[in-house]
Amino acid sequence: MEGCPFCRIASHEAPAAIVYEDGELMAFMDKNPVSEGHLLVAPKAHYETLMDMEPELVGKLFALVARLCKALWRALGPEGINVLQNNGPAAWQHIPHVHVHIIPRWAGDGIAVRWPARPKSLSELERTAARIRDALANL
């Protein structure tokens, strides 16, 4: 997609510190990392959200994410790793090209991902679960 920074990286029109690349996927260092080793993993083809991708490619994407997490663990020795994938502006997706953040974490690193918990009764949860099951059956 014209103007998409990740498409420009995928086509080698824009520079990036590439960690992995094959015919369908790429992984590169985030240019504004929140920690050492912060990676972005993305399909090379342009998809705005995870829901736009074929399930097989989603599987390949997350298989690569798992491999990269192991590599980061060995290379940098973090105490933890966050894996984040956002879809849509309300979910903090700033670049409309599917990507997964892999963020190595250390105790006291100052990184915070917080959201307010909103406890629900089991009956409320069951109603929502039924709606999701119905939608899933009709995909």
Side-chain angles (χ1 to χ4, degrees):
M1 177 176 199
E2 189 175 325
C4 173
F6 293 173
C7 288
R8 294 190 68 229
I9 290 170
S11 65
H12 298 279
E13 294 173 22
I18 304 289
V19 172
Y20 175 90
E21 181 176 12
D22 65 24
E24 297 176 298
L25 302 169
M26 61 183 176
F28 52 94
M29 304 302 300
D30 190 309
K31 71 177 185 176
N32 297 302
V34 297
S35 69
E36 181 184 9
H38 182 170
L39 291 174
L40 300 177
V41 188
K44 292 173 89 173
H46 187 84
Y47 301 94
E48 284 197 24
T49 70
L50 199 66
M51 292 78 69
D52 299 324
M53 295 174 63
E54 292 297 321
E56 295 78 16
L57 186 55
V58 173
K60 290 178 183 180
L61 176 69
F62 279 94
L64 177 58
V65 167
R67 285 184 60 211
L68 289 165
C69 285
K70 288 179 183 180
L72 272 171
W73 200 269
R74 283 185 184 169
L76 302 178
E79 297 174 58
I81 294 177
N82 281 120
V83 175
L84 302 171
Q85 199 285 314
N86 308 321
N87 295 279
W92 311 321
Q93 184 182 16
H94 299 291
I95 306 236
H97 184 122
V98 170
H99 58 287
V100 179
H101 292 262
I102 302 176
I103 304 170
R105 299 294 306 277
W106 289 267
D109 63 15
I111 299 169
V113 178
R114 297 187 179 117
W115 56 79
R118 295 179 177 94
K120 299 287 184 188
S121 69
L122 182 56
S123 63
E124 290 172 301
L125 296 173
E126 285 292 350
R127 281 193 296 276
T128 302
R131 291 175 63 195
I132 297 167
R133 283 191 303 270
D134 288 346
L136 184 59
N138 293 309
L139 286 182

